[in-house]
Structures are given as structure tokens and as C-alpha cells.
Amino acid sequence: MTSGNTVSAKIFRYDPAADKAPRYETLEVPLEKEMRVLDVLDYAVENAGVAVGYRWFCGVKRCGMCGVSVNGKPVLACWEKATPSMVIDPLPNMPVVRDLVVDRSALEQATLEMEPCLKRKEPYESFPEPLTHRDFEDAYRLMTCIECYVCTAACPVLSDANHREFAGPASLVQLAKVALHPKDAGERVAAALKGDIYACISCYECSNVCPVGINVLEDAIEKLKRRCAAQSESNPGAKHARIFTDLIRKFGRIHPPTLMRQSKGLMQSVSKMSMALAMYRKGKVQVRPQTVQGIEEVRKLFKAVEKDQ
Amino acid sequence: MPRTIDTDVVVIGGGAAGAHAALKVHAEGLKVLLIVKGFLGRSGCSIFAGNLQLVNTKVSAEEEEKWLTIRTKHMGGYLLEQDYVKRANRFTESEFYPEMERRGLYIRRNAEGKFIKSEGRGTNVWAPLQGYSGTFVMELLRKEILNKRIPLLQETMVTSLLLDEGKVVGVTLLDILRGEFIAVRAKAVIVATGPSNYLATRSTGTREQCANGFAMAYRAGAQMQDIEIQWWHCSDIAWPKAWTRLHIYPNPMPATKETVRLYNSEGEMFFEQGMYPLAMQPYFLQLKHLYPHVKRGKARWNGGYFAGYTHIDPSIMEQYSYQTQFLKALGLDLSKDLIECGISWHMTLGGIRTNTETMETSLPGLYAAGGVGSHGVGTITFVSYDGTLAAGGACARARAMQPPRLPEEQIAREEQRVMSPLKVRSGDGLLPAQVKKRIREIMWEKMGYVKSEAKMEEALGQLAEVREKLVPRIGLDSLSRTWNYDWVDALDVEDMLDICELTIHSAKVRQESRGAFFREDFPYIDNKNWLRHTVMSRDGNALRIETVPVELKYIRPESEREDFLSADY
């Protein structure tokens, strides 16, 4: 039982080199004003003498190294406020090194493979470059990404074994950050496709958990996807996105049989025929695409959005 | 013999000094190994560089003198090497900014493309937010180093410098992830472990910064200089504890002439930078103004006084400060609420004694770059200069020499020392982190901003007690070698005790007050006798302390003796 004045923390303990299986260690910690999860972990070691392993350096959202999972939600321990009852686990989607310490090296490698360094078309001239805040507006939204990989930990696609090639949201933010720099001329579409960007299901989990408040999906991933759709002829994901958009532009909604046929081809469409029939019987699809009422409004929206780009 | 790695130059430390050193050695075509106790560009203090000074000393002699005065007088209490300050300013304007912008650094501009600056003297800029500039600089340096595949060991603690015939010929290290002890052979070593250390309860040093750089250099016989002079931050947030390093900048702010104000517990305003227009970095002055309020019980060193932006248009903080989100998370409304503050142990002005033209130390083969050196910097652009300079010297040395011989006996002894904490704690045993906490408490209580002979003697007594009673009780929870941070903590305890004691011995020698250094029993600036550096070195197991005069090439204080609390530096 916890009173209002204590934190009951159930902390994941596991040393794969020495322990047969993970276990939890529960301790009571006095709750202090505006206490953070990191304070609870510090208390465990420094006051209670519980040798839990956790990483941190700065305590104030600069180092990006104190990611843990609290009651199932990936967070930064320095930023997240402690609550009376917490289960503290290591971040998911990464191998455990010890207790709450995870091995991020594979994810960091994925970021590095995106080559997230500025590649200028023209050589740099002199300081200061004649650029305005407007030129940086898109890149600016991503500038305080500290690469804490909390978004990647929250990504449901990465926990799906079918998407091992997906680079994950954190790496895509790093790619977008450099791709959106006004002077960048790197091969960013190729990198995004290599990172299997279309495996992203646009579920917003990354945006929801970002500790520095970046809208990861809209301001990074969708911006890259749009660039891919516009520039890649052959990538199936990019092609699918273009057909999807065209259908909406034309009819105001998608028409699954047309989308399927145009995107995946006749053979794959035929293989899904039984599903299509079932959907037809239940009135979920029509044989021919139907234009929605008020299509003029949809077209106006398209015009507005495309003008904006 | 443990596994051995060969390289030309070892760089220890993953902040701006170490990163610049590694990039420069690599660019020179030599083999470099960069070793970071935490993570490159993530641990250490460079990530905290909140403001960037847009110096332009080339334009006029006045501008050059202005910056010389700010650094030498207001940030260095006249103990800095003045030619060094001039050269570092030139590096800042002609190399640092162009190179960082080339890499992609965005200094915040307005819609017309003009920099957002502090008004009035207009020299601070931000990339892109106040409080975030260093994080951004380090991100770009880190990516460049990773992209160039420069050899890098992270979560790796350097435990000692290896010596052969009085020359530094390599290092020993502990790979924290795997628990492996390794020896590295190198022709030159650059130590760049930073100015801040987590040595007092309230500190700005990050978790891993436990004076290891000072300790390894001192033990190897290097001279230390002015390590008694400790900057304290006056306005860091009081709570929650995790956010101790959240700094409320006293410096000029973006797009306004106003600066943050400090208030005592009765709401009486006692400081703002505008009171001293010439002191752009008024850190020492803030503390002098806080002191009487603590004396009168209207503030405590760890709370009970406040910072406020209530006189400033809230949109300024909203648009230009990284800190604002923290203050909002505490439910503060900056247009009317004040922020409770405490002071924190920040940077050591001194450090390993360095030649400021080459960054050489008193030990052949050892260079010190950045805040770990003795030349009192504390600016990300200056430490970047140091790294570049040290790398130049280290490369010249490495080119001129054959691979050195490794001292096998010393390596064996060091391996034994590093392995010695691997024992399980007994019933009344303590985790090393618990002993670190006790050391920090002693330093906070007895070696705070206000020092005196009596309190320093008490601190030495209490530290001796830690050695005698607590250290023997240290044990680990597990003997697993995989990421066993308790093991690292145990090695830190030794370094912390040595350097805390050294700091106190050095402080006892300086019988005056100056800049960040305040002795209540000597409350005056003694320019007649104390425009001197303290220099300490190891003499067998004894400590040798001398003093050497400071060279005052361009500017000097006007009076021989000044009242410390009323002086403007």
C-alpha cells in the first residue's frame, strides 16, 4: 500500500551475464516536491543501497540517456514526474545490458547509416550565412531532438518481427533534421527508403511520447514520406502513397479494389479476392469508386496544401 | 599483460575540447583514439553551454579590450593569461563560428535573417535556444566524428596515465560495458575531462564527472594550479533534485535589455546584471550580493531565494529559452511566479597546469585541453580552441617519436588497483555511491562558497573519517563485470577523496578572496601579494605547494587591496 507521501517503485532487475531470469525489486521512497523518476532511482542507490543499474548524465533533457519505461510508457527518467505507484522497466525494443540499462548500439548504427551530416551542394562561404528563420522553419521544429530513442522504444512497428529493416522514428528524425536544413543536398530519399520508411503506420505513438514535444510523425516522418512519394518512381511504398493520394483527390475517398490493383498489381489483387468478396457482401466496398458529396471542398483542401509546399 | 591497443594520440573526454582534439589529430593523418567515460557529446559539461558570445575583436581595439576585460577581470579575477584570451577570442570568431555553421549550426535569426541578440551591448547569441547551444554544438561534432569513423571508446573510464622515464606513454582503461582492463600505448595523451566535477551535493558536474582527469594527472606527477578557485552558480533551480543543473542564466537575454532578477525570501530584489553593465557574465557578483541575505536569514544557499522574469515580456522566454518548458512543468507562470534557486559547485578555474601556447603540462607527452587545464576558461568556444591547439602539439610530438615502451610493472600494479573493488559488501557494507554521497555532503557543508580556515580543517577531518571508517566498508552488490557501475563508483571514490583534499589544501594556502573564491577570514582582494598562482605537485607521497606570479601583460587591477564584497570583480 502506498500513502500519498511515498512512492512505491517496482524496479526491473536483470544481469543477463549472471541471472537466470529477470526479477522485480520493490521499494518505498519518500515522495518529494515535484520529484522526478530519476530522483527515485538515485534514492534507491544512494539512500536505500539498492544497486540498480541505470544510465543518466545531465538530469535536464540534454544527454538523452536516461530513457526507461514507467508503467508501460517509454519516458526520460529526468523529465517524468514520479507518481505514487510505478513499475520501472528498461526501454522496450532494445536488448537489456543490465537492469534498466539497454544496448542502443544497433539503433545508433541505423541513425549513422542515414548519414545525418549536412551535405552541401555549394561549398560553405562565410559566417554568417544569409539565411532567415523562415528558411529554417521546418528544420527548427526538430532541432531539439536529443536522440533519446524514447520514440523508437514506443514504436509498435519495431516490435513486429516482420519489420526488421525499419530504421525507427528516432533515426528518421535525425534524417529529416538534416534533410530539412536549407542548404542540404544529400541523397535523403534513398536513405529514407533504405530505412523502410513506409513500414511506418502513422500511429502517432512517437509524437505522443516525445519528451521534448516534437511531433515526430508530422514534422519528420511525413515530411520525408512526401519527399519520397514525389521523388521515387519505383519504391512500392512511394507508389502506393501516390495512388492513395490520387484516389482521394479524384473521389474524396479511397477505393480499396482500385488501390490494390494499381498499387500491388493484378496478381496480388486476385489473391485477396475472397477478402474483397466478403467486404462487398457486408457493404464495405463498391465495385466502382463512388465520389463523395462535397468533393469540391476536398479539392480546395488539396490546392491549399499543395500550394503550401 | 592485459590486451593492448596502439595509437598515436589518446584523447580523453567527449566534450568540445576532446572532440576538437580528435578531429584535428584525425585531420593531420595520425591515429587517434578518443575515450569517453560517458558518451561522446552527451556527457560532460559542453552540453550545458547556454549562451554563445558573438565576439568580433578584429573590428577595433576597444572591442578587443572589452572582451579581454570580461574574461580576465569578471570571469578570471585577473588570474588568466591575457595573450591566451586574445588568441582564443580570435579563434572563436575566425574558426569556431564558421566551422560550426558549415556543419549545420543554426544561430537563431529573425524572419529578416538578423541574429537574435541580447540588446544593449548585443553580443550573446543562441543556437537555437538559450540553454541549448552547447547541446546542438556537441550533436554536430559527435556526428562528424562518428561519420568519419574516428576510433572511439565510450562508457570507458581511463584509470591512469602510463609513464616511462617520466614521459607519458599511454593510459590504462576500464571498459565499463564488458568489465575489461586494457592498456593503450600512445605517443601523446590529451586530457580533456572538463572543468566541472560532481563534488558537492549541489553541483553542475554530470554523473560521471568525479575529478578523474585531475586525479590521474596529479598521481602521475603533473603540476596543478589554482584548483582552490571554484566557481559557484548562483541561480540554479532549487528542486526537484534531478534538475539541479537547470541554470537560470544571469547573462544578457535574447531580444531584450532586461535580465533575470534575484529576490530574497521577503521578495526584495537584490541582483540583476544591469547593476554591473560591464560584467556581462556576472557570476561572481551575484554570489557577493546573495551572501548578506543568507547572513540575515533571508535566503539559504540551497533555497529560500528566487529568480524572476516577471518584469520581462513572457513571449521572450517562450520563444527563445529551452529552460521555459521545465519551469512550466513545475506549474510556474513566468509573468507572475518566481523560481526558487540554490547555488551549485560549478567549475574549477584552475586545473592541470598548462602552457597556454601549447597546452602542454609539466609532464612530457601530456596535454590538457579545455576546463581541466589551469587557464580558466568556461566557454565552449575557448575549450574548442584548446582542443585544436593541444592536438597540434600532440601531433608534432607523435610524428617525431618511435612507439614508446609500455611500463609492464606499472600496468600490473594498476590492474590490481582497478580490480581491487571487486568484492561483495558485507552486512553493514556500503555501496560506493553511498560514500560518494557522503563526500559531496562534506564538501557542500564545509567547503561551500564561504570558506574559512576552521571550516576547511573540519572538512579535512571529515574526509579523513570517510577514508578511515566508510571506505573499508565499501563493497559491491555483484561481482558481475557487465556494466557494473558500482565498480566505477568505487574507483571514483578514490579520485574524489584525493582531489577534494587537494582542493582544500590549496584553498588554505590562498589567504585572500578573489573572483569566485571567498574566504570569510580574509575578506579582501590582495593584489599586492596574491596576484599569484598556487602550484601543487606530488613529491613522493607528500604534497609540494608553491606560488608563482601571474603575468599581467595588458590590463591590471587598480588597487593593491580591495574589499572583496564591494569590488566589482
Side-chain angles (χ1 to χ4, degrees), chain A residues 13 15-18 23 32-36 38-39 42-65 77-79 81 97-98 101 103-104 108-109 111-113 115-120 124 126-134 136 140 143-149 174 177 181 211-213, chain B residues 37-39 42-43 47-48 54 93 97-99 101-115 128-132 135-136 139 142-144 146-147 149 154-155 177 198 205-208 239-246 249 319 322-323 325-326 329-330 340 425 431 433-434 437 440 477-478 480-486 489:
Chain A
R13 302 293 309 273
D15 178 357
R23 65 196 158 90
E32 284 168 26
K33 190 158 62 171
E34 293 293 335
M35 192 174 203
R36 286 7 246 185
L38 182 58
D39 293 323
D42 281 351
Y43 184 94
V45 178
E46 293 180 351
N47 294 62
V50 174
V52 57
Y54 58 106
R55 262 197 203 111
W56 71 278
F57 295 101
C58 75
V60 277
K61 281 205 304 194
R62 265 79 168 177
C63 75
M65 297 304 292
C78 71
W79 179 242
K81 196 170 168 175
V97 171
R98 186 189 180 113
V101 177
D103 178 4
R104 311 191 336 175
E108 287 170 353
Q109 191 56 34
T111 302
L112 192 56
E113 278 166 19
E115 301 196 15
C117 289
L118 184 59
K119 285 191 182 143
R120 291 169 175 273
Y124 175 75
S126 64
F127 179 79
E129 283 191 289
L131 291 166
T132 72
H133 191 60
R134 284 208 187 98
F136 277 100
Y140 181 72
M143 255 173 215
T144 55
C145 167
I146 51 173
E147 291 167 82
C148 65
Y149 292 90
Q174 291 308 308
K177 198 167 172 174
H181 188 288
V212 293
Chain B
K37 190 180 176 192
F39 287 84
R42 294 181 180 277
S43 50
I47 52 170
F48 289 106
L54 196 64
E93 56 210 42
Y97 286 116
E99 277 298 293
E101 190 174 64
R102 179 188 63 75
R103 293 183 176 108
L105 190 73
Y106 171 52
I107 295 179
R108 184 70 181 270
R109 291 157 163 87
N110 65 16
E112 285 76 50
K114 294 257 188 315
F115 285 144
L129 295 167
Q130 187 179 50
Y132 198 78
T135 313
F136 196 175
E139 175 201 320
R142 172 166 54 85
K143 284 179 177 164
E144 188 158 320
L146 293 173
N147 197 43
R149 308 296 194 268
Q154 302 186 106
E155 285 196 320
L177 185 63
Y198 189 5
T206 45
R207 186 231 200 132
E208 82 294 355
W239 45 264
K241 178 176 162 284
W243 292 1
T244 305
R245 294 161 195 81
L246 194 79
Y249 297 93
Q319 284 183 81
Y322 189 71
Q323 320 298 69
Q325 57 186 311
F326 291 82
L330 297 178
E340 190 165 5
R425 70 180 151 166
L431 288 179
Q434 296 178 286
K437 179 170 177 265
R440 288 171 182 143
D477 200 46
S478 135
S480 166
R481 294 195 178 187
T482 307
W483 208 92
N484 192 342
Y485 211 88
D486 298 327
D489 283 334

Side-chain angles (χ1 to χ4, degrees), chain B residues 213-257:
Chain B
F214 288 166
M216 70 178 83
Y218 176 71
R219 287 189 198 125
Q223 290 180 334
M224 311 296 284
Q225 177 177 299
D226 297 335
I227 75 159
E228 72 281 4
I229 300 191
Q230 195 65 43
W231 274 49
W232 290 76
H233 266 178
C234 186
S235 48
D236 289 330
I237 203 161
W239 45 264
K241 178 176 162 284
W243 292 1
T244 305
R245 294 161 195 81
L246 194 79
H247 187 40
I248 308 298
Y249 297 93
N251 322 46
M253 290 182 54
T256 171
K257 284 191 174 110

